Amino acid sequence: MYSDIAVGMVNYGSDAPANGKSITDKKVTFDKPFSSIPYVVVSINSTTINPNYGSLLAFVADVSETGFRLRVANSTNEILYPGVYWVAIAK
């Protein structure tokens, strides 16, 4: 793996689901710190046929050299359990 790229996946399982009508946060820590604040891209992953998963939005906050806060907004009334892939790339 290149030292200027980090990748991972976060599961919003039964211990911390994406609750309805809310934003759920999870802290992500890079295995190895970057020398400067990286770009971070996230994407929802799900194999469900439930159309409500289309109402989820994954985004990031508080990006630093050591990690970021992953946020999932759920606009439905349903509790959902997505996975979120992320990629961090050095600037």
Side-chain angles (χ1 to χ4, degrees), residues 3 21 34 36 48 50-51 63 65 67:
S3 61
K21 300 290 183 189
F34 284 82
S36 63
T48 185
N50 181 340
V63 179
E65 295 87 348

Side-chain angles (χ1 to χ4, degrees), residues 17-83:
N19 292 315
K21 300 290 183 189
S22 68
I23 297 174
T24 306
D25 291 351
K26 288 204 174 194
K27 175 71 176 149
V28 174
T29 303
F30 303 131
D31 290 338
K32 180 182 171 189
F34 284 82
S35 59
S36 63
I37 296 173
Y39 297 109
V40 177
V41 179
V42 295
S43 177
I44 297 286
N45 173 55
S46 177
T47 58
T48 185
I49 60 170
N50 181 340
N52 284 339
Y53 277 77
S55 298
L56 295 174
L57 174 67
F59 57 105
V60 300
D62 306 326
V63 179
S64 72
E65 295 87 348
T66 59
F68 63 95
R69 186 165 39 118
L70 175 59
R71 310 193 82 198
V72 172
N74 180 356
S75 65
T76 74
N77 290 317
E78 187 176 353
I79 296 172
L80 300 173
Y81 306 93

